[in-house]
Amino acid sequence: MIDLVVATPVFLDLTFVGLESLPGLGEERFAAELLRTPGGGAITAVGATRLGLTAAVAAPLGEDVAGDLVRGALADEGVKWIGTRPAPRTPTTVVLPFGGDRAMVTVDPGARALAADVLAHSPRAVSASLDQLFIVPEGSLGFVTCGDDDGRAYAGRPPAALEQVRALFVNQREALLLTGESTMEDAGRKLAMLADTVIVTLASEGAVAFSHGVMDASACEPVVNPVDTTGAGDLLTAAYIWADLRGAEPADKLRWAVLYATLAVRAATGIGGAVTEAELMRAGNELDLVPPPLAGIYSG
């Protein structure tokens, strides 16, 4: 049994490191380096693997140079690629980190994971996007993320099938868009009437958890001079799943997840700052975080 299958789309991230500034129209700017790394759902899978879980990616990849790069990088990390349907081309994102934030441009042909590929591997947990609720098999824990496209597609009408998922991850903008509410608190409470737990991420202000219609916990760690915030939400999801599968209490799951994302933004690229379980535990010990009961135990 695999601990986690990630069904969310996977990209090749092309990250321009050390930009002197962001270019305007008609301008040319220079960077110190160009890095090619797995992006999107692959960041969650790599983070989960570094935390000691067994993970696989079910998202389609193209039979092209970009796909070869992503598959090779995933294999190097010990992440299995289990997709059986090739994409017309591998989704690709250009990432421009600058000034503690980043700009991105993406090409995505729209190919998505097959439910049969996920089911065939009997995962303990599945990470899927909001439009993939159907892909979480019975008996697996569903962890659902939301992107800008999902937020627009489900604006004002979050799907009732959210009641079947373990946790929904949204940022503040997505929470407001999905619910039509005017405050993060009201949006979180409304979504938590559907999903078992709702995590609303607040960028540098951490994250808030809602459960059964009430605010359950909040967590924030100071972010000092972030290098690249790409993938912070993907890694927060990975660490939350890790803490959940390791038996942590609800408030502790959120604190470990926020800490993991905070540590990650200190390095370039989405996977560049994803630390190991041992490194995360050391950082958590310094903050007196309660270790998950099964931390350090291989469960794959």
Side-chain angles (χ1 to χ4, degrees):
M1 178 181 287
I2 292 177
D3 290 321
L4 173 66
V5 168
V6 178
T8 50
V10 167
F11 302 82
L12 174 66
D13 280 357
L14 304 176
T15 304
F16 289 83
V17 178
L19 275 171
E20 56 181 349
S21 66
L22 289 178
L25 290 176
E27 296 180 336
E28 180 180 19
R29 292 293 182 264
F30 290 88
E33 186 59 88
L34 171 63
L35 302 178
R36 301 169 179 85
T37 56
I43 299 173
T44 299
V46 169
T49 300
R50 291 184 184 177
L51 290 173
L53 301 180
T54 54
V57 165
L61 294 169
E63 297 176 337
D64 48 21
V65 173
D68 291 342
L69 287 170
V70 172
R71 280 185 287 267
L74 290 175
D76 290 343
E77 293 285 346
V79 177
K80 299 178 181 179
W81 180 63
I82 59 173
T84 58
R85 177 177 63 180
R89 61 174 295 179
T90 298
T92 301
T93 297
V94 172
V95 185
L96 306 173
F98 184 76
D101 207 335
R102 83 279 192 220
M104 297 182 291
V105 179
T106 293
V107 175
D108 180 4
R112 296 295 182 260
L114 296 174
D117 291 340
V118 177
L119 179 63
H121 290 79
S122 304
R124 296 175 63 198
V126 176
S127 176
S129 55
L130 190 59
D131 64 346
Q132 296 175 301
L133 287 172
F134 67 91
I135 213 167
V136 180
E138 186 176 352
S140 297
L141 299 176
F143 297 87
V144 174
T145 58
C146 180
D148 286 343
D149 51 348
D150 290 324
R152 291 190 295 269
Y154 293 97
R157 51 180 188 88
L162 279 171
E163 64 185 13
Q164 303 170 15
V165 309
R166 181 77 161 188
L168 168 67
F169 299 83
V170 292
N171 62 31
Q172 180 170 287
R173 182 185 66 257
E174 293 157 355
L176 298 177
L177 187 58
L178 285 173
T179 62
E181 298 291 342
S182 58
T183 70
M184 178 274 293
E185 291 83 1
D186 288 341
R189 291 188 182 99
K190 187 171 184 177
L191 289 170
M193 297 300 291
L194 293 174
D196 183 67
T197 299
V198 176
I199 309 298
V200 182
T201 59
L202 305 172
S204 62
E205 297 180 12
V208 178
F210 296 84
S211 183
H212 305 294
V214 299
M215 191 164 74
D216 187 56
S218 62
C220 181
E221 299 297 337
V223 180
V224 180
N225 299 323
V227 173
D228 187 358
T229 59
T230 305
D234 300 302
L235 292 175
L236 183 146
T237 301
Y240 189 93
I241 295 171
W242 163 81
D244 197 353
L245 295 184
R246 296 302 198 229
E249 294 296 322
D252 295 327
K253 286 187 283 190
L254 186 65
R255 291 199 67 190
W256 283 108
V258 168
L259 175 59
Y260 196 61
T262 302
L263 294 172
V265 301
R266 300 175 183 178
T269 78
I271 67 171
V275 301
T276 65
E277 184 181 55
E279 292 170 316
L280 177 60
M281 294 296 291
R282 285 195 293 270
N285 289 339
E286 294 177 1
L287 299 171
D288 296 323
L289 268 63
V290 178
L294 301 178
I297 298 176
Y298 179 76
S299 60

